[in-house]
Each structure stands twice: as structure tokens, then as C-alpha cells.
Amino acid sequence: MRHIISILLENEAGALSRVAGLFSARGYNITSLTVAATEDPSLSRMTLVTSGSDQVIEQITKQLNKLIEVVKLIDLTEGKHVERELMLIKVAVAEPSVRDEVKRLVDIFRGNVIDVTATAYTIELTGPSDKLEAFIAALADVKILETVRSGVSGIARGGKSLHI
Amino acid sequence: MELSGADILCRSLAEEGVKYLFGYPGGAVLHIYDAIYKQDKVEHILVRHEQAATHAADGYARSTGKTGVVLVTSGPGATNAVTGIATAYMDSIPMVVITGQVPTNMIGNDAFQEVDSVGITRPCVKHNFLVKDVRDLAETIKKAFHIASTGRPGPVLIDIPKDVTADKTEYHYPESVDIRSYHPVSKGHPRQIKHAVEMMLEAKRPVLYTGGGVVLDNASHYLIELAQKLNIPVTNTLMGLGAYPATERQFLGMLGMHGTYEANMSMHHTDLLIAIGARFDDRVTGNIEKFCPDARIIHVDVDPASISKNVSVDVPIVGTVSNVLKEMLLLLKELEQPAEQKEALVEWWKQIDEWRAMDCLKFTQGDEVIKPQYVVQKLWEITQGDAFVTSDVGQHQMFAAQYYKFDKPRRWINSGGLGTMGFGLPAAMGVQLAHPDETVACITGEGSIQMNIQELSTCLQYSLPIKVISLNNRYLGMVRQWQEFFYQSRYSMSYMDALPDFSALAESYGHVGMRIEKPADVEGALIEAMALKDRLVFMDFVTDQTENVYPMIPAGAGLNEMILV
Ligand SMILES: Cc1ncc(C[n+]2csc(CCOP(=O)(O)OP(=O)(O)O)c2C)c(N)n1
């Protein structure tokens, strides 16, 4: 099962490699990982997408909690939550018909074309990962030149928050 | 007053009550060595190899419960220390390791003797620090000692660049530290504890399976009280030996791969397994699928990540072993049922005594060749079971664990988790320094001893009267045993050729050497050696080459599927 683990981490050199090292040393998989400072500059917020059996996920959260720099964590998938991922995707649009088709898809998926040249569009799209994947699938025959994905960020719904 | 980083380090160690610093100098730590020279609070012990410094600090820690402290230089000093750090990590031993580092402005430049010590050790320390500013030094040291010795203990490394040891700042050693992200649980959950106690009172075939956690938390007396109140049989892991007196009736011996028949059979047939400060290591469980098929499981451990890691348990209790056992004993007092419980276990004990009657550790000492078991048994008799015994890794380690009956905790000092050959002699140095008037024996093999034999020189320098008991079978015995059993006796690289004359070697280091070849001489030699109170004696026992360690559970088998002879 896919899990989104959200972590408050001391904003210190080496903290990220401790988390990444834990995953490689114990053979857990990382689907995506994002990290940046929070409104409190001493803390970083990390969102980590992983998968595994319940037993593996339990071990992952316990092992993460053991790292001294991990201040707090929650498994967002245990409750209602929102997840978003940003994708920048560059497609070839030399043909006018392709240009129209891409424009239409971008509207349907509520994306934005953020850079235009005679031969290429760069599109910005946010949403849950499956929406981004659906967009890629919808592009079908359109030639993709490049995709950049931010990895998932997540947050719990409602008043609940991860803080110290 | 402003002090240099080097002076701050020395003062801070003194503040922590550090008596011995095990180390080896080098370029990056020269300021520190100069500061050491100018003070007399902390005594520096000069080893002959950095690995030995870590094992010595480790032996000191295991035998006292205090944090062991190591100082090594950057680069090769740090990498040499890694084996000892990993050894301490696997067995949860409190240790603080200080490594020198190249100056901050050279970090990352492939400078002379630069290695990323924090990176290299990250997977085998509880935590580590790189101190880039002398103003952070004292607090970092405080944090390191705090982290190393609390919760599930472990090694903590502090990497200090050379310029930081020269820089000066106002010295203030904090009384305490609060690390917002580090608050180990200490009290167990009351409802879980109650539930566990009720289960113990109901069980028909309970077993206490206890490990190094009981030793580390100094909880032996609680364990004894609990076991005796409820008449529950006790088995110890390799790391837990001594936590329950081995000569006491309720003790079943060690369990696991080379455990006793009665311990492993009891595990297999138990209806309630009470695991305390143990971590269901694969050398203990054998085949996980076949492990304790009929049992409900209670697991007490200070580390939540140890619980339900290998075996899923019914009643997890996170807390320190002492706190949880204390709570259990209080509850039992309120419930006042133990008498009935004792009655209820009569059948179980009858069964256990039948298993015991197999006498799985029996061996016959003939007139010709010395049996390794016999040497350990005699050592136990002659030292009246009261010695500190360190060991290396191999068959001799298992013989030591099986035949030296430890009645007290912290007397059995071995590398259980990592299985580090070369551990025994340096560990014994730390133990002997901590206990100058006690008998310290190092049971080793001719393979293992050669991994750190240079420490005989350290032993001379500090007059450490260790008794080295080498069970010399001219084989890497444990490897040979596996090759005999599982590789049709193809003894690939397990024979030790070109051995030195150990007795003469020890003499050349300034110690007493003995070579013992006949069974009839074993006892006399041991008595003679023990009488040499202030000398290191190296006893080279020429033992049976083909002896194997029994019982043995082959890989993939359950605990009830032992090879007995
Ligand atoms: C550093 C290290 N290298 C290799 C091993 C693998 N190993 C385990 S036991 C053993 C043989 C030990 O031989 P010896 O010290 O002579 O003891 P014996 O088994 O003969 O009693 C070896 C090589 C190890 N445990 N540690």
C-alpha cells in the first residue's frame, strides 16, 4: 500500500541524508521525497511517499522516529488529507493541430502554459499524482520533450496540524 | 575565561566523570593531545590500533554501565575505529567517540587524512555530530553523553575539525540538555502491564526469554524477583547471560542456535513467551515460521522499533526494563496469587526436567587431547564463577557461553550482534582498568587473538594482568564446523597454518607464556596462572581440532530441530 509520511525535521545539515540513508540501509523504498524549510526556520518539513505492507510501514515510522533529528511525524494516509504535486512538462508543438490539442488538454486539466516557443510549450500542472499521470496518458501521441515533477507534498484536512 | 576547543574537550570530559580515554594520536588531534598532556583529570590509555581503543572503551562500558570514551585522529584513525563503533552499536553499548577532522576550510577538498567520518559512521551510530564552531563544542559533548547513555544506549560520534580545537571561547558546561526531538519513553503503559501480568498468572507453560536489555538497564534483581515469585523458567540470550544466575534451578541456559535442549524445547512448547530486553535476533529464533508456534507473546523493550520487527507480538510494552518489571512486581503484590501460580506450573516443570535430563552439554574428557569445553569448565571452577570473562568470536565463544556459568550481570563481555573477531583482548583491557582487583579472563581462539594481538603491548604498558585463555585448535573452528556440516568437509581456508609460538610471543611482549598440551595439565596450569595476580598470562591450550559446538540448530530449522551430537 502507498503511504504518505509527513515529517518535521530539524533543519540541519545531514538530517536529509540520515533519512535517505535509513531507507537505503533497510531496503525500504522511496517513491518520492520533498523537503524544505517551514515558517520556523529551525524546522524542515519533509513529505515522503513510500509503499510496503503494514508491518513494513510500522517499522519505517518507528525507525524514522528513532532518528534524533526527527521531531515529529504522521502517516497522512491514515486520515483525510490533501496531496499535491507540481509538474512542469515540455511538449513538441510544431504542428498547429497538435498545438490546439495540447491547449485543449491543458484547459481540461486546469493547467497553465507558462512558456511558449514556435516549437514547444511548457506546461505547469498541479494535482494529486494520479491526475498528473492521467495528463501524461492523455497527451497520447504528443511528443514529450521533458517532464519535471516535484514529488508529493501533503497536509491533513481540517484543523489537525503537524507542529511542535 | 576563554579556553581553546581542546581544553574545553578535556574539561567537559572531566565534567562527565570520564576516568579513561582510550585513544591514539595523529595530526588532526594534536591540539587535543597537547591539552591532555597539561591536565590530570582524565587518564589517556594509549592502544596500539584504533579498533582496540573502541573495544577497550566498550569493555569498560559493558562491565561498568558507564559510557566508554574514545579519541582518534581523522582519516585512517577514524576508519580503524569503525569496526568497534559498529560492534558497540549492534549491542547497544553507550560510547562517545571523538574523531579529529581536517580544518573546516579544508573539508571537502580531499585534504590529507580527510574522510567523511560522519558519513561513514552514520549507519552504525546512534547519532553523530560535526562541530563547526567552538561555541557549540561543550553543548555538543553534553548532548553526546546524554544520547549515548539514555533510551536504548549506543555509540555517538563527535567529529571535531582541527581549527575548532584551537579556537577559543568562553567555557561553560551545561548542567543538562533538552533535545526537543529526543525523549525516550521510560514508563510502560499501565494497562498493557496489567494485561501482561494477568496473562502470566494464567499461563500453563510460560517462559521468560531475556536479553542484553536487562543487563544494560541493571534490572537483574527485578528479573530474579519476578521469575521466582511466579516460578517461571528463564532462558537468556547470548547478550543476556548473567542477568539471571546460571546456577539457579529456574535457569534453562542460553537459547538459540547453540542454546541448550531444555531452553529451545521450552521455547518451542511455551504458551506464553515473556520477552524482556531481547530483540528476537535470527540466531535466537531460528526459522521465524516455526518460532514458538503455540505462544502468545509479551515483549518489553525500551526501543519501540525492536517490537514486532521480526516476530509480531500480542502485548507490546515500551519502557525501560527496570520500570516495567518494577510495575509488574507491584501489581503482583496487589493480586497475591503467586502461590497458586506455582502449583499450576508443576506439570510444566516436570516436562522441562525431562528435557534437562538429556544433559545436552555433556562431553567426555579423555587422556589424550584437551577438550575446549573442559578448559572453560575448569576456568569456571577455579575462578569460582566470579571472573569477568571477555571473548572473541567462534567456537570458543560458544563454549564460554555454555560452560562458564555466569551468576552476575556485566561479567560476560562479548560481541553478540556484530560478532567481531578481535574484540576479546582489547575489551579485557577496558574491563581490567575498570576492575583492577578482579580476575579478567579473555577466552579466545588462535584465529581471533591474532586480529588484535598487538594489544599485548598496551597490556604491558599499563600492567593489565589479563589471563588470556586461547583455545588453539589450529582451525577457524566455527568456519570449519559449518564446512563440515554444510559443505561436505571442504575446509576452504579455515585451517590456520604458520602459527606463531604464542607462548614465546607473549614472553617477548614481556608477559608470561604457557603452552598446555595434556588434559592432565589443564587444572594445574590454570591454578598457576591465576596465582600470578599481577602478570598477564597467555595460556595457549592445544585443543581437540575436530570438536564441534552442540547443540546446533541448522539454518532454516525450528528451535525443536536441534542437532544434539
Ligand atoms: C572480523 C571477523 N572476520 C571474520 C569472521 C567470521 N568468523 C566467525 S568465527 C570465525 C573463526 C574464528 O576462529 P578462532 O578465533 O580460531 O576460533 P574458533 O572458532 O576456532 O574457536 C570466523 C573467521 C568474524 N566473525 N569476524
Side-chain angles (χ1 to χ4, degrees):
Chain A
M1 244 269 281
R2 176 175 178 268
H3 286 254
I4 304 175
I5 297 171
S6 213
I7 308 165
L8 272 183
L9 201 63
E10 294 289 354
N11 189 4
E12 276 168 14
L16 171 62
S17 53
R18 248 181 257 280
V19 173
L22 172 70
F23 275 71
S24 65
R26 294 190 180 263
Y28 306 142
N29 58 61
I30 300 183
T31 311
S32 80
L33 184 158
T34 69
V35 61
T38 65
E39 76 286 358
D40 171 351
S42 73
L43 288 172
S44 305
R45 171 83 174 236
M46 177 184 279
T47 309
L48 206 152
V49 181
T50 181
S51 59
S53 64
D54 287 354
Q55 200 221 346
V56 169
I57 299 297
E58 184 182 329
Q59 263 301 307
I60 290 176
T61 54
K62 283 173 169 178
Q63 294 291 351
L64 282 169
N65 265 317
K66 265 177 81 167
L67 297 178
I68 307 289
E69 281 136 345
V70 168
V71 182
K72 239 180 190 174
L73 68 80
I74 52 165
D75 182 348
L76 287 177
T77 13
E78 277 177 357
K80 288 204 161 63
H81 64 279
V82 190
E83 60 170 284
R84 287 291 179 272
E85 186 175 358
L86 167 70
M87 174 165 71
L88 303 177
I89 183 164
K90 192 177 283 183
V91 294
V93 289
E95 313 263 324
S97 62
V98 176
R99 215 169 297 175
D100 291 347
E101 169 67 2
V102 168
K103 194 74 186 71
R104 210 169 51 82
L105 283 172
V106 168
D107 286 344
I108 293 171
F109 279 85
R110 295 180 213 280
N112 294 308
V113 177
I114 54 169
D115 189 47
V116 176
T117 70
T119 54
Y121 277 2
T122 300
I123 302 146
E124 164 197 76
L125 191 66
T126 37
S129 307
D130 50 1
K131 174 177 158 185
L132 307 188
E133 269 133 40
F135 180 74
I136 291 172
L139 285 173
D141 294 336
V142 178
K143 186 169 166 44
I144 297 172
L145 300 173
E146 205 176 341
T147 58
V148 185
R149 292 171 66 161
S150 65
V152 173
S153 290
I155 198 162
R157 280 190 188 276
K160 216 165 94 180
S161 70
L162 183 63
H163 60 93
I164 51 170
Chain B
M1 195 183 63
E2 295 221 318
L3 291 182
S4 72
D7 287 324
I8 289 175
L9 174 62
C10 290
R11 293 273 285 265
S12 304
L13 294 181
E15 202 77 49
E16 285 293 333
V18 174
K19 198 160 169 218
Y20 296 111
L21 179 56
F22 299 90
Y24 206 87
V29 286
L30 282 175
H31 296 319
I32 301 176
Y33 273 85
D34 195 46
I36 289 172
Y37 190 87
K38 295 183 204 148
Q39 57 85 54
D40 60 0
K41 295 266 183 341
V42 182
E43 186 181 350
H44 182 278
I45 304 294
L46 179 67
V47 294
R48 301 298 183 265
H49 185 295
E50 289 88 349
Q51 181 188 351
T54 52
H55 292 330
D58 182 324
Y60 181 86
R62 289 182 203 235
S63 67
T64 60
K66 295 181 191 151
T67 301
V69 190
V70 177
L71 170 63
V72 296
T73 193
S74 66
T79 53
N80 270 351
V82 170
T83 300
I85 296 172
T87 302
Y89 181 68
M90 286 296 274
D91 290 341
S92 310
I93 304 305
M95 183 185 286
V96 170
V97 180
I98 293 141
T99 49
Q101 184 53 278
V102 301
T104 40
N105 64 354
M106 285 164 72
I107 288 179
N109 278 349
D110 302 320
F112 178 62
Q113 296 196 324
E114 176 180 3
V115 74
D116 175 9
S117 301
V118 164
I120 283 183
T121 58
R122 194 175 289 127
C124 62
V125 292
K126 185 169 172 187
H127 195 58
N128 56 20
F129 298 94
L130 170 63
V131 183
K132 284 188 167 165
D133 186 330
V134 71
R135 286 169 299 183
D136 298 335
L137 184 57
E139 192 181 344
T140 303
I141 296 169
K142 184 81 206 174
K143 281 185 184 170
F145 276 88
H146 175 62
I147 292 171
S149 60
T150 51
R152 179 175 180 175
V156 177
L157 180 137
I158 311 174
D159 200 24
I160 314 179
K162 189 168 184 179
D163 53 324
V164 173
T165 62
D167 290 348
K168 291 190 165 178
T169 190
E170 204 59 44
Y171 172 67
H172 162 72
Y173 199 67
E175 292 265 297
S176 62
V177 276
D178 180 44
I179 304 171
R180 66 177 168 181
S181 54
Y182 177 72
H183 296 112
V185 179
S186 86
K187 285 246 184 292
H189 195 290
R191 211 174 49 227
Q192 295 287 81
I193 293 177
K194 179 145 184 282
H195 189 189
V197 167
E198 285 162 2
M199 284 164 80
M200 287 186 228
L201 290 170
E202 279 162 21
K204 297 279 175 295
R205 302 185 305 280
V207 173
L208 278 156
Y209 144 55
T210 79
V214 180
V215 178
L216 289 169
D217 202 35
N218 300 314
S220 197
H221 54 293
Y222 295 125
L223 171 65
I224 295 169
E225 199 181 331
L226 181 77
Q228 297 190 348
K229 204 161 230 162
L230 295 175
N231 193 26
I232 300 179
V234 184
T235 175
N236 284 163
T237 67
L238 180 66
M239 294 309 300
L241 294 174
Y244 194 87
T247 53
E248 210 279 332
R249 179 191 65 93
Q250 278 169 247
F251 189 62
L252 304 181
M254 180 172 77
L255 81 165
M257 181 170 277
H258 294 297
T260 65
Y261 186 68
E262 52 270 36
N264 287 334
M265 291 302 274
S266 303
M267 290 290 286
H268 189 76
H269 291 276
T270 182
D271 65 349
L272 180 68
L273 184 64
I274 308 147
I276 301 180
R279 60 184 177 89
F280 296 83
D281 180 85
D282 51 273
R283 285 292 191 265
V284 157
T285 60
N287 187 338
I288 275 283
E289 306 288 318
K290 302 180 183 174
F291 181 70
C292 294
D294 303 331
R296 288 192 297 166
I297 303 178
I298 297 166
H299 189 183
V300 180
D301 205 290
V302 74
D303 177 9
S306 279
I307 295 181
S308 293
K309 182 175 68 176
N310 301 339
V311 171
S312 79
V313 306
D314 301 279
V315 185
I317 304 175
V318 179
T320 66
V321 170
S322 324
N323 280 342
V324 174
L325 290 183
K326 213 169 8 183
E327 291 297 320
M328 287 178 167
L329 288 167
L330 278 176
L331 271 180
L332 278 175
K333 220 166 255 164
E334 282 168 26
L335 292 169
E336 281 305 349
Q337 275 173 311
E340 291 166 38
Q341 165 77 2
K342 281 200 175 182
E343 275 308 301
L345 297 187
V346 167
E347 282 301 308
W348 182 222
W349 274 110
K350 220 161 89 191
Q351 170 67 74
I352 290 172
D353 287 337
E354 274 171 37
W355 289 325
R356 229 178 214 169
M358 287 280 302
D359 196 7
C360 68
L361 295 180
K362 69 172 170 286
F363 65 93
T364 329
Q365 175 61 71
D367 301 331
E368 296 296 321
V369 277
I370 301 173
K371 290 281 183 191
Q373 300 95 319
Y374 178 69
V375 178
V376 178
Q377 197 178 60
K378 283 289 154 201
L379 176 71
W380 173 67
E381 282 172 23
I382 288 162
T383 55
Q384 294 166 339
D386 209 28
F388 285 82
V389 178
T390 73
S391 104
D392 271 300
V393 174
Q395 292 183 317
H396 61 272
Q397 175 190 28
M398 293 300 123
F399 291 133
Q402 291 174 329
Y403 294 89
Y404 200 100
K405 302 195 183 314
F406 295 93
D407 281 335
K408 293 183 203 157
R410 299 198 180 277
R411 304 246 152 184
W412 166 236
I413 314 281
N414 86 129
S415 166
L418 199 66
T420 309
M421 289 170 70
F423 175 81
L425 179 59
M429 301 190 312
V431 177
Q432 187 79 74
L433 280 161
H435 307 275
D437 301 325
E438 305 271 353
T439 302
V440 179
C442 165
I443 298 182
T444 184
E446 81 293 340
S448 293
I449 192 68
Q450 292 189 84
M451 286 214 178
N452 268 322
I453 199 158
Q454 77 286 345
E455 296 308 315
L456 286 174
S457 173
T458 312
C459 293
L460 183 71
Q461 182 172 347
Y462 297 98
S463 309
L464 302 175
I466 296 160
K467 305 298 179 270
V468 179
I469 315 284
S470 179
L471 304 177
N472 182 350
N473 54 8
R474 284 85 71 215
Y475 272 116
L476 298 174
M478 191 54 98
V479 175
R480 190 202 56 73
Q481 176 168 347
W482 281 61
Q483 290 172 335
E484 179 187 331
F485 286 13
F486 310 117
Y487 298 89
Q488 291 79 44
S489 299
R490 288 186 296 278
Y491 296 139
S492 178
M493 298 297 136
S494 54
Y495 182 65
M496 280 303 240
D497 210 349
L499 288 170
D501 175 344
F502 286 105
S503 166
L505 184 66
E507 300 265 346
S508 89
Y509 272 108
H511 302 301
V512 180
M514 292 182 179
R515 183 173 166 91
I516 304 99
E517 298 177 342
K518 297 217 169 51
D521 297 336
V522 170
E523 189 162 1
L526 280 168
I527 291 172
E528 189 187 331
M530 294 305 153
L532 295 169
K533 288 255 177 263
D534 48 6
R535 297 297 298 276
L536 183 148
V537 184
F538 192 114
M539 310 186 75
D540 186 19
F541 289 96
V542 181
T543 58
D544 190 343
Q545 285 201 279
T546 57
E547 190 56 83
N548 288 323
V549 183
Y550 296 110
M552 177 168 183
I553 299 170
L559 292 189
N560 60 334
E561 299 168 314
M562 278 159 279
I563 307 173
L564 286 172
V565 259

